[in-house]
Amino acid sequence: MYDRERLATLSAVVEEGGFEPAAARLHVTPSAVSQRIKALEQQAGQVLVRRTRPCTATDAGQTLLRLARQIAVLEGEVAATFGPTTPAHLPIAVNADSLTHWFLDALAPLVAEHDVRLDLHVDDESRTADLLRDGTVVGAVTTAPEPVRGCAAEPLGAMRYRAVATPGVAARWFDGRDPALAFPAAPRVDFGPEDRLQTRFARAITHRPCTGAVHRVPAADGYHAAVRAGLGWGMFTDVPARDETAAGHLVLLGGERYLDVPLYWQHWRLRTTVLDDLTASVRRVAAGALQQPG
């Protein structure tokens, strides 16, 4: 059996990014943190923490990190029944557009009802399941329909995207041109290297690869600002796209065509009040915010 105190120390080192900040969080000395990690590594027979800046878990460390966080969630559930508690740590992975447009509405009731400490990891929806797989988070909004081992998955609906650009970009690159020629050549704005929305939309219309200039802006507000500033065309979620085109700030490209991205909620198969309430809240808010079948 692994010592609970040592597992909690492993979790603190990885979450805080180092031995000294972990010590400050746990109210012990850095030497005590180092001794606990060494003892845990001796028991496991493997290196669990990469001594880098920030500190990260090795593959073996990720396995024990997942165990540490599951124990913490269960302990929080028990402690909430019998007396005062420290806030339960809930690391959750979510894509930037969900966080901006609906996910915070699902978290607000949870924070109001339970003593929790949220730790949001924002990544592309195609990568958030990886954070669940390696034990970094307890739940994730993801495009992966297949449950990660030890997790449950349920469909939430689809996030609808539309291609938009400023009137100036539209006039220069799209007006009077065949979309099959315009989309591949026009400059576009991507959220980051994993963002495939723009290329997927363009390929669906043109069946050609995009060869135009690519600007990467990995921040939700910055991404929208870059498109509004005329750096290139991009994909906005449905409501902002329609609102800004109605106001004359942007132009819809491709007519009424859109791209739907199905989203799923994956979470640990732990039956605790906090996780059950989190899942119920995510399910409820997503039902009103996302496109539903039929």
Side-chain angles (χ1 to χ4, degrees):
M1 296 291 292
Y2 289 96
D3 180 76
R4 181 261 174 207
E5 189 176 66
R6 294 172 182 172
L7 289 172
T9 302
L10 172 65
S11 182
V13 168
V14 174
E15 290 168 15
E16 300 298 332
F19 283 55
E20 290 191 6
R25 172 171 143 185
L26 297 173
H27 305 292
V28 299
T29 65
S31 177
V33 169
S34 179
Q35 291 172 8
R36 291 176 188 177
I37 295 299
K38 287 180 180 178
L40 191 60
E41 290 178 328
Q42 288 174 354
Q43 183 179 4
Q46 300 183 61
V47 174
L48 303 176
V49 176
R50 298 185 186 92
R51 273 67 167 178
T52 55
R53 292 190 179 184
C55 289
T56 59
T58 64
D59 290 344
Q62 288 172 350
T63 300
L64 288 183
L65 183 62
R66 181 186 178 99
L67 173 62
R69 286 173 173 160
Q70 289 177 336
I71 290 173
V73 170
L74 291 171
E75 285 183 338
E77 182 82 356
V78 173
T81 303
F82 293 102
T85 67
T86 57
H89 179 225
L90 283 184
I92 303 167
V94 61
N95 60 305
D97 282 330
S98 290
L99 180 63
T100 300
H101 296 296
W102 66 273
F103 195 70
L104 290 177
D105 291 335
L107 297 180
L110 189 78
V111 172
E113 181 70 21
H114 300 281
D115 189 15
V116 296
R117 177 169 60 91
L118 298 175
D119 184 5
L120 299 184
H121 297 251
V122 182
D123 205 337
D124 187 85
E125 59 270 18
S126 65
R127 294 169 54 89
T128 48
D130 294 336
L131 298 175
L132 191 63
R133 187 174 293 106
D134 66 22
T136 300
V137 299
V138 303
V141 176
T142 175
T143 54
E146 292 298 321
V148 171
R149 184 177 180 181
C151 297
E154 57 183 277
L156 294 176
M159 184 159 281
R160 178 162 293 177
Y161 291 87
R162 297 184 185 273
V164 295
T166 61
V169 170
R172 179 178 178 184
W173 293 95
F174 291 90
D175 287 358
R177 299 187 68 189
D178 183 346
L181 299 176
F183 274 105
R188 72 178 192 275
V189 182
D190 284 357
F191 186 79
E194 303 298 327
D195 183 9
R196 302 287 184 268
L197 289 177
Q198 288 69 230
T199 54
R200 284 174 56 192
F201 181 84
R203 187 176 286 275
I205 292 179
T206 69
H207 305 288
R208 299 182 182 185
C210 289
T211 57
V214 183
H215 306 288
R216 290 176 177 168
V217 185
D221 290 344
Y223 178 86
H224 292 103
V227 174
R228 294 188 191 104
L231 270 65
W233 70 277
M235 302 293 286
F236 277 24
T237 51
D238 189 55
V239 173
R242 289 190 173 278
D243 287 348
E244 298 212 29
T245 54
H249 303 313
L250 297 174
V251 176
L252 278 179
L253 306 175
E256 287 296 313
R257 296 196 182 191
Y258 56 82
L259 178 67
D260 278 353
V261 178
L263 296 177
Y264 300 83
W265 171 243
Q266 293 211 30
H267 58 90
W268 289 349
R269 287 186 179 275
L270 283 181
R271 295 306 305 272
T272 74
T273 301
V274 170
L275 287 181
D276 287 351
D277 286 355
L278 171 61
T279 294
S281 187
V282 169
R283 186 188 300 123
R284 175 180 55 79
V285 175
L290 303 178
Q291 300 293 323
Q292 301 301 316

Coordinates of all heavy atoms in Angstrom, one line a residue, residues 224-268:
H224 N -10.2 35.9 -31.3 CA -11.3 36.6 -31.9 C -10.8 38.0 -32.3 O -11.3 38.5 -33.3 CB -12.4 36.7 -30.9 CG -13.1 35.4 -30.7 ND1 -12.9 34.6 -29.5 CD2 -14.0 34.7 -31.4 CE1 -13.6 33.5 -29.6 NE2 -14.2 33.5 -30.7
A225 N -10.0 38.6 -31.5 CA -9.5 40.0 -31.8 C -8.6 39.9 -33.1 O -8.7 40.9 -33.9 CB -8.6 40.5 -30.6
A226 N -7.9 38.9 -33.3 CA -7.0 38.8 -34.5 C -7.9 38.7 -35.8 O -7.6 39.3 -36.8 CB -6.1 37.5 -34.4
V227 N -9.0 38.0 -35.7 CA -9.9 37.9 -36.9 C -10.6 39.2 -37.1 O -10.7 39.7 -38.2 CB -11.0 36.8 -36.7 CG1 -12.0 36.8 -37.8 CG2 -10.3 35.4 -36.6
R228 N -11.0 39.9 -36.0 CA -11.7 41.2 -36.1 C -10.7 42.2 -36.6 O -11.1 43.2 -37.3 CB -12.2 41.6 -34.7 CG -13.3 40.7 -34.2 CD -13.9 41.4 -32.9 NE -14.8 40.4 -32.2 CZ -14.5 39.8 -31.1 NH1 -13.3 40.0 -30.6 NH2 -15.3 39.0 -30.6
A229 N -9.4 42.1 -36.3 CA -8.4 43.0 -36.8 C -8.0 42.8 -38.3 O -7.3 43.7 -38.8 CB -7.2 42.9 -35.9
G230 N -8.5 41.7 -38.9 CA -8.3 41.5 -40.3 C -7.0 40.8 -40.6 O -6.5 40.8 -41.8
L231 N -6.5 40.0 -39.6 CA -5.3 39.2 -39.9 C -5.6 38.1 -40.9 O -4.7 37.6 -41.7 CB -4.7 38.6 -38.6 CG -3.7 39.4 -37.9 CD1 -4.3 40.7 -37.4 CD2 -3.1 38.6 -36.8
G232 N -6.8 37.6 -40.9 CA -7.2 36.5 -41.8 C -8.6 36.0 -41.4 O -9.3 36.6 -40.5
W233 N -9.1 35.0 -42.1 CA -10.4 34.5 -41.8 C -10.2 33.4 -40.7 O -9.2 32.9 -40.5 CB -11.1 33.9 -43.0 CG -10.5 32.6 -43.6 CD1 -9.4 32.5 -44.4 CD2 -10.9 31.3 -43.3 NE1 -9.1 31.2 -44.7 CE2 -10.0 30.4 -44.0 CE3 -11.9 30.7 -42.5 CZ2 -10.1 29.0 -44.0 CZ3 -12.0 29.3 -42.5 CH2 -11.2 28.5 -43.2
G234 N -11.3 33.1 -40.0 CA -11.3 32.1 -38.9 C -12.7 31.6 -38.6 O -13.7 32.0 -39.3
M235 N -12.8 30.7 -37.7 CA -14.0 30.1 -37.3 C -14.5 30.6 -35.9 O -13.7 30.5 -34.9 CB -13.8 28.5 -37.2 CG -13.3 27.9 -38.5 SD -14.5 28.0 -39.9 CE -15.7 26.8 -39.4
F236 N -15.7 31.2 -35.9 CA -16.3 31.6 -34.7 C -17.5 30.6 -34.4 O -18.1 30.1 -35.2 CB -16.9 33.0 -34.8 CG -15.9 34.1 -34.6 CD1 -14.5 33.9 -34.8 CD2 -16.3 35.4 -34.3 CE1 -13.6 35.0 -34.7 CE2 -15.5 36.4 -34.1 CZ -14.1 36.2 -34.3
T237 N -17.8 30.5 -33.1 CA -18.9 29.7 -32.7 C -20.2 30.5 -33.2 O -20.1 31.7 -33.5 CB -19.0 29.5 -31.2 OG1 -18.9 30.8 -30.5 CG2 -17.9 28.6 -30.7
D238 N -21.3 29.7 -33.3 CA -22.4 30.2 -34.1 C -23.0 31.5 -33.6 O -23.2 32.4 -34.4 CB -23.5 29.1 -33.9 CG -24.7 29.4 -34.9 OD1 -24.5 29.5 -36.1 OD2 -25.9 29.5 -34.4
V239 N -23.2 31.7 -32.3 CA -23.9 32.9 -31.8 C -23.0 34.2 -32.1 O -23.5 35.2 -32.6 CB -24.3 32.8 -30.4 CG1 -24.8 34.1 -29.8 CG2 -25.4 31.7 -30.2
P240 N -21.7 34.2 -31.7 CA -20.9 35.4 -31.9 C -20.8 35.6 -33.4 O -20.7 36.8 -33.9 CB -19.6 35.0 -31.3 CG -19.9 34.0 -30.3 CD -21.0 33.2 -30.8
A241 N -20.7 34.6 -34.2 CA -20.6 34.7 -35.7 C -21.8 35.5 -36.2 O -21.7 36.4 -37.0 CB -20.4 33.4 -36.4
R242 N -23.0 35.0 -35.8 CA -24.2 35.7 -36.3 C -24.4 37.1 -35.8 O -24.8 38.0 -36.5 CB -25.4 34.8 -36.0 CG -25.5 33.5 -36.8 CD -26.8 32.8 -36.6 NE -26.9 31.7 -37.5 CZ -27.3 31.8 -38.7 NH1 -27.5 32.9 -39.3 NH2 -27.4 30.7 -39.5
D243 N -24.0 37.3 -34.5 CA -24.2 38.6 -33.9 C -23.3 39.6 -34.6 O -23.7 40.8 -34.9 CB -23.8 38.6 -32.4 CG -24.9 37.9 -31.6 OD1 -26.0 37.6 -32.1 OD2 -24.6 37.5 -30.4
E244 N -22.0 39.2 -34.9 CA -21.1 40.2 -35.4 C -21.3 40.4 -36.9 O -21.0 41.5 -37.4 CB -19.7 39.7 -35.2 CG -19.3 39.7 -33.7 CD -17.9 40.0 -33.4 OE1 -17.3 40.8 -34.1 OE2 -17.4 39.4 -32.3
T245 N -21.9 39.4 -37.6 CA -22.2 39.7 -39.0 C -23.5 40.5 -39.1 O -23.6 41.4 -40.0 CB -22.4 38.3 -39.8 OG1 -23.4 37.5 -39.1 CG2 -21.1 37.6 -39.9
A246 N -24.4 40.3 -38.2 CA -25.6 41.2 -38.2 C -25.3 42.6 -37.9 O -25.9 43.6 -38.4 CB -26.6 40.7 -37.1
A247 N -24.2 42.8 -37.1 CA -23.8 44.2 -36.8 C -22.9 44.8 -37.8 O -22.6 46.0 -37.8 CB -23.0 44.2 -35.4
G248 N -22.5 44.0 -38.8 CA -21.7 44.5 -39.9 C -20.2 44.5 -39.7 O -19.4 45.0 -40.5
H249 N -19.8 43.9 -38.5 CA -18.4 43.9 -38.2 C -17.7 42.8 -39.0 O -16.5 42.9 -39.3 CB -18.2 43.7 -36.7 CG -18.8 44.7 -35.8 ND1 -18.7 46.0 -36.1 CD2 -19.6 44.6 -34.7 CE1 -19.4 46.7 -35.2 NE2 -20.0 45.9 -34.3
L250 N -18.4 41.7 -39.2 CA -17.8 40.5 -39.9 C -18.7 40.1 -41.0 O -19.9 40.5 -41.1 CB -17.5 39.4 -38.9 CG -16.6 39.6 -37.8 CD1 -16.5 38.4 -36.9 CD2 -15.1 39.9 -38.3
V251 N -18.2 39.2 -41.9 CA -18.9 38.7 -43.0 C -18.9 37.1 -42.9 O -17.8 36.6 -42.6 CB -18.3 39.1 -44.4 CG1 -19.1 38.5 -45.5 CG2 -18.4 40.6 -44.5
L252 N -20.1 36.5 -43.1 CA -20.1 35.0 -43.2 C -19.5 34.6 -44.5 O -19.9 35.1 -45.5 CB -21.5 34.5 -43.0 CG -22.1 34.4 -41.6 CD1 -23.6 33.9 -41.7 CD2 -21.3 33.5 -40.7
L253 N -18.6 33.6 -44.4 CA -18.0 33.0 -45.6 C -18.6 31.7 -45.8 O -18.9 30.9 -44.9 CB -16.5 32.9 -45.4 CG -15.7 34.2 -45.0 CD1 -14.2 33.9 -44.8 CD2 -15.9 35.2 -46.1
G254 N -18.8 31.3 -47.1 CA -19.3 30.0 -47.3 C -20.8 29.9 -47.2 O -21.4 28.8 -47.0
G255 N -21.5 31.1 -47.2 CA -22.9 31.1 -47.1 C -23.4 30.6 -45.7 O -22.9 31.0 -44.7
E256 N -24.4 29.7 -45.7 CA -24.9 29.2 -44.4 C -24.2 27.9 -44.0 O -24.7 27.2 -43.1 CB -26.4 28.9 -44.6 CG -27.3 30.1 -44.6 CD -27.2 30.9 -43.3 OE1 -27.3 30.3 -42.2 OE2 -27.0 32.1 -43.4
R257 N -23.1 27.6 -44.6 CA -22.4 26.4 -44.3 C -21.7 26.5 -42.9 O -21.4 27.6 -42.5 CB -21.3 26.0 -45.3 CG -21.8 25.7 -46.7 CD -20.8 25.0 -47.5 NE -21.3 24.8 -48.8 CZ -20.6 24.0 -49.7 NH1 -19.5 23.4 -49.4 NH2 -21.1 23.8 -50.9
Y258 N -21.6 25.4 -42.2 CA -21.1 25.4 -40.8 C -20.4 24.1 -40.6 O -20.4 23.1 -41.4 CB -22.2 25.6 -39.8 CG -23.3 24.6 -39.9 CD1 -23.2 23.3 -39.3 CD2 -24.5 24.9 -40.5 CE1 -24.2 22.4 -39.4 CE2 -25.5 24.0 -40.6 CZ -25.4 22.7 -40.0 OH -26.4 21.8 -40.1
L259 N -19.6 24.1 -39.5 CA -18.9 22.9 -39.1 C -19.4 22.5 -37.6 O -19.2 23.4 -36.7 CB -17.4 23.1 -39.1 CG -16.5 21.9 -38.7 CD1 -16.7 20.7 -39.6 CD2 -15.1 22.4 -38.6
D260 N -19.9 21.4 -37.4 CA -20.3 20.9 -36.1 C -19.2 20.0 -35.5 O -18.8 19.1 -36.2 CB -21.6 20.2 -36.1 CG -22.8 21.1 -36.1 OD1 -22.7 22.3 -36.0 OD2 -24.0 20.6 -36.3
V261 N -18.8 20.3 -34.3 CA -17.8 19.5 -33.6 C -18.5 18.8 -32.4 O -18.8 19.5 -31.4 CB -16.6 20.4 -33.1 CG1 -15.6 19.6 -32.3 CG2 -16.0 21.1 -34.3
P262 N -18.7 17.5 -32.5 CA -19.3 16.8 -31.3 C -18.4 16.8 -30.1 O -17.2 16.6 -30.2 CB -19.5 15.4 -31.8 CG -19.4 15.5 -33.3 CD -18.5 16.6 -33.6
L263 N -19.0 17.1 -28.9 CA -18.2 17.1 -27.7 C -18.8 16.1 -26.7 O -20.0 15.7 -26.8 CB -18.3 18.5 -27.0 CG -17.7 19.7 -27.8 CD1 -18.0 21.0 -27.1 CD2 -16.2 19.5 -28.0
Y264 N -17.9 15.6 -25.9 CA -18.2 14.5 -24.9 C -17.7 14.9 -23.6 O -16.6 15.6 -23.5 CB -17.6 13.2 -25.3 CG -18.1 12.7 -26.7 CD1 -17.5 13.1 -27.9 CD2 -19.2 11.8 -26.8 CE1 -18.0 12.7 -29.1 CE2 -19.7 11.4 -28.0 CZ -19.1 11.8 -29.1 OH -19.5 11.4 -30.4
W265 N -18.3 14.5 -22.5 CA -17.8 14.7 -21.2 C -17.3 13.3 -20.7 O -18.1 12.4 -20.6 CB -19.0 15.2 -20.3 CG -18.6 15.3 -18.8 CD1 -19.2 14.6 -17.8 CD2 -17.7 16.1 -18.2 NE1 -18.7 14.9 -16.6 CE2 -17.7 15.8 -16.8 CE3 -16.7 17.0 -18.6 CZ2 -16.9 16.5 -15.9 CZ3 -15.9 17.6 -17.7 CH2 -16.0 17.4 -16.4
Q266 N -16.0 13.3 -20.4 CA -15.4 12.1 -19.8 C -15.0 12.4 -18.4 O -14.4 13.5 -18.1 CB -14.2 11.6 -20.6 CG -14.6 11.2 -22.0 CD -13.7 10.1 -22.5 OE1 -13.1 9.3 -21.8 NE2 -13.5 10.0 -23.8
H267 N -15.2 11.4 -17.5 CA -14.8 11.7 -16.1 C -14.5 10.3 -15.4 O -14.9 9.3 -15.9 CB -16.0 12.4 -15.4 CG -17.3 11.6 -15.4 ND1 -17.7 10.7 -14.5 CD2 -18.3 11.6 -16.3 CE1 -18.9 10.2 -14.8 NE2 -19.3 10.7 -15.9
W268 N -13.8 10.4 -14.3 CA -13.5 9.2 -13.6 C -14.8 8.5 -13.2 O -15.8 9.1 -12.8 CB -12.7 9.5 -12.3 CG -11.4 10.0 -12.5 CD1 -10.6 10.0 -13.7 CD2 -10.5 10.6 -11.6 NE1 -9.4 10.5 -13.5 CE2 -9.3 10.9 -12.2 CE3 -10.6 10.9 -10.2 CZ2 -8.2 11.4 -11.5 CZ3 -9.6 11.5 -9.5 CH2 -8.4 11.8 -10.2

